[in-house]
Amino acid sequence: MSLPATDPCVHCGFCLPTCASYRVLATEMDSPRGRIHTLKAIAAGELELDATVASHFDSCLGCFACVSACPSGVRYDELIEATRPKLNAPELRTPAQRAFRRLLFSLLPYPQRLRALLTPLRAYAGTPLQALARRIGLTRLFGPGVEAMERLLPPLEPEAFRDDAPVLVPAEGTRRYRVGLVLGCVQRLFDPAVNSAALQVLSANGIEVVIPPAQGCCGAVTHHQGELEQTRELASDLLQCFDAVIGPGQPAGPEPLDAVLVAASGCGHTLKAYSSLLASAGSEEAAASPEAALAFAGRVADIQEFLERVGLAEAFAAALQPLRHGDGTPATAERPLQVAYHDACHMLHGQGLRNEPRQLLRRIPHLRIIEATEAGVCCGSAGIYNLVQPEEAAELGRIKAADLSGSGADLAASANIGCSLQIRRHMEEAPRPIPVLHPIQLLARSHAGG
Ligand code: SF4
Ligand code: SF4
């Protein structure tokens, strides 16, 4: 198979301590160095990509911590991205694995389908019934994949079942910028408060927000699993949604956007890759608009990245108040609110954003950021990894939750919906559970008076 170069790997092993799969499986074949060695052997015709070999690639979380750690500049991210589509060959997975993945890919990227499935579960999620079902092991009867899904299911808010955001949210005061907002298919259903907070913060910072009402998934879920055809369809649909509301005579008016923002780092990573994704050979839709894909991808920014780049509005920054501790007392210089910031892999290793979220949080008075010991190690969420590799993911989730809660922080901040769901689920079992919130929620709360 033809792949990006594996040659720069000098087998030094510096990447091994950062590798999440190596951490829990402890075998060379499940490390970046081992997988690179395997790719070389396949390319040399010494090894075949059979189901056993494929399973060692499936165990990779795609967290890219190895890319950040590698002193030789090996682009493992490109290697695994080029390998993933080959892992989807039918003979490499069991019928049950294929069926479960098909189910996930036909549900997760489609908010309306997911809503239809979740509607009857509103009477279950977050209720004593759910606690009872877990206690007596009822969910285990449906197999490890479904059990893992159920364990991640948060209480379902009424807002998750509404698409009532206006197409245009005006800026408060003088308009400084005009941006689009990608809502995220999982985020809008499982944590709608994040997008509400994003709208409050943006508007209060003099930023007008355009929200295409028919938008679906950006394609991150399928992109990270090498399902390229479906990803390109989803990406093309999203581009069309933006085109349908911006322009002369369109609901959001004719002016172009300064940026396209998203508050979920897994989505941001894929949105920034649209130009290469849609320009890839075999994508007919991309051939129709490569310039549009390039222009769109060039405008994509994580909401924290954008706010740090343009700066907070003076009035907004001046209005920020200390947040409150769990006992209701406001944070003070003597007793600051301590926040453990969790670096999502697709933010830190995938987009190279480490300082921006921390800088933004530091604007909140009397908020102190605590660095967890394992800040750069994956939490085990990794798209659908915690559903298709539930045991390894659970082990990583336990490590992450224990690390964050053991840091002594009052709460944890996570800027990716997948990580937040995974950490909250495992925080339940931590010795000192702490809440997990998106940094933009903390900023909105601080602006609203703490
Ligand atoms: S990928 Fe980089 S860090 Fe890992 S073994 Fe190869 S050269 Fe060393
Ligand atoms: S992407 Fe993450 S899990 Fe995969 S080899 Fe690199 S460090 Fe390990």
Side-chain angles (χ1 to χ4, degrees):
M1 61 185 167
S2 108
L3 286 171
T6 51
D7 293 344
C9 177
V10 294
H11 311 296
C12 64
F14 282 2
C15 53
L16 266 57
T18 67
C19 174
S21 59
Y22 186 67
R23 174 79 178 267
V24 292
L25 294 165
T27 53
E28 180 70 13
M29 290 280 277
D30 295 296
S31 77
R33 182 175 65 185
R35 295 189 185 103
I36 291 168
H37 188 75
T38 303
L39 288 174
K40 282 184 183 173
I42 293 172
E46 295 159 6
L47 194 65
E48 240 183 76
L49 180 61
D50 59 16
T52 306
V53 172
S55 71
H56 294 290
F57 289 106
D58 273 340
S59 68
C60 169
L61 293 102
C63 66
F64 310 145
C66 51
V67 181
S68 300
C70 178
S72 304
V74 175
R75 292 303 305 264
Y76 178 86
D77 52 341
E78 293 175 4
L79 289 168
I80 192 70
E81 192 166 328
T83 305
R84 291 266 194 229
K86 297 172 176 65
L87 306 178
N88 294 329
E91 66 276 15
L92 298 181
R93 297 205 174 98
T94 64
Q97 285 172 326
R98 290 203 302 275
F100 187 52
R101 292 171 87 91
R102 263 201 310 277
L103 174 75
L104 295 177
F105 297 141
S106 64
L107 271 179
L108 294 178
Y110 304 98
Q112 298 307 348
R113 292 182 198 171
L114 204 48
R115 270 185 188 144
L117 179 85
L118 291 173
T119 298
L121 293 175
R122 290 174 72 177
Y124 170 81
T127 68
L129 191 61
Q130 186 180 35
L132 177 69
R134 287 177 180 176
R135 206 165 45 246
I136 62 174
L138 192 64
T139 52
R140 245 173 267 145
L141 300 177
F142 300 97
V146 174
E147 187 190 8
M149 279 168 95
E150 194 281 336
R151 290 307 302 246
L152 290 169
L153 186 67
L156 297 165
E157 306 297 335
E159 301 82 56
F161 295 85
R162 295 198 294 258
D163 274 324
D164 54 2
V167 178
L168 194 72
V169 176
E172 282 174 26
T174 309
R175 190 181 86 177
R176 299 162 68 211
Y177 298 96
R178 173 173 150 97
V179 303
L181 185 67
V182 175
L183 299 172
C185 51
V186 173
Q187 178 155 283
R188 82 183 78 163
L189 286 178
F190 291 129
D191 204 353
V194 173
N195 286 331
S196 304
L199 288 174
Q200 282 169 37
V201 170
L202 291 170
S203 176
N205 272 283
I207 301 169
E208 180 177 276
V209 189
V210 175
I211 310 165
Q215 61 176 288
C217 174
C218 67
V221 173
T222 48
H223 176 213
H224 298 143
Q225 290 298 317
E227 298 284 350
L228 297 184
E229 203 177 315
Q230 190 178 358
T231 305
R232 288 180 185 126
E233 275 172 26
L234 292 164
S236 297
D237 288 351
L238 189 70
L239 289 181
Q240 281 169 15
C241 279
F242 273 89
D243 283 349
V245 294
I246 299 165
Q250 303 291 15
E255 295 162 83
L257 301 173
D258 297 309
V260 176
L261 305 185
V262 63
S265 60
C267 307
H269 178 257
T270 292
L271 289 161
K272 287 181 178 179
Y274 267 17
S275 53
S276 57
L277 255 174
L278 293 179
S280 304
S283 170
E284 285 175 17
E285 279 147 300
S289 60
E291 294 83 9
L294 185 67
F296 185 91
R299 287 196 187 99
V300 173
D302 183 89
I303 186 167
Q304 300 158 103
E305 177 186 14
F306 182 77
L307 286 172
E308 258 312 286
R309 190 193 300 157
V310 302
L312 297 180
E314 246 173 64
F316 181 91
L320 292 175
Q321 297 296 315
L323 295 170
R324 290 177 187 279
H325 286 280
D327 61 11
T329 57
T332 59
E334 294 72 37
R335 192 178 167 227
L337 189 86
Q338 310 205 87
V339 175
Y341 183 79
H342 161 69
D343 286 289
C345 299
H346 281 105
M347 179 86 78
L348 178 65
H349 307 300
Q351 300 181 60
L353 300 174
R354 183 182 190 281
N355 294 331
E356 293 81 347
R358 288 173 170 79
Q359 300 277 61
L360 206 56
L361 282 175
R362 285 196 187 102
R363 319 258 163 188
I364 299 175
H366 307 316
L367 182 149
R368 179 188 293 162
I369 295 177
I370 293 197
E371 295 299 339
T373 317
E374 313 218 35
V377 179
C378 183
C379 66
S381 164
I384 61 164
Y385 190 90
N386 51 2
L387 305 179
V388 294
Q389 304 272 142
E391 283 176 28
E392 293 85 350
E395 181 60 24
L396 289 163
R398 280 191 286 272
I399 293 170
K400 180 60 73 178
D403 187 40
L404 292 169
S405 83
S407 69
D410 300 297
L411 57 86
S414 153
N416 188 44
I417 178 64
C419 307
S420 300
L421 293 175
Q422 166 84 345
I423 297 170
R424 283 177 194 145
R425 177 248 182 276
H426 290 284
M427 198 58 88
E428 290 167 14
E429 297 154 8
R432 194 182 68 90
I434 53 174
V436 182
L437 291 165
H438 194 291
I440 218 70
Q441 289 177 287
L442 300 181
L443 209 57
R445 219 176 255 191
S446 169
H447 184 252

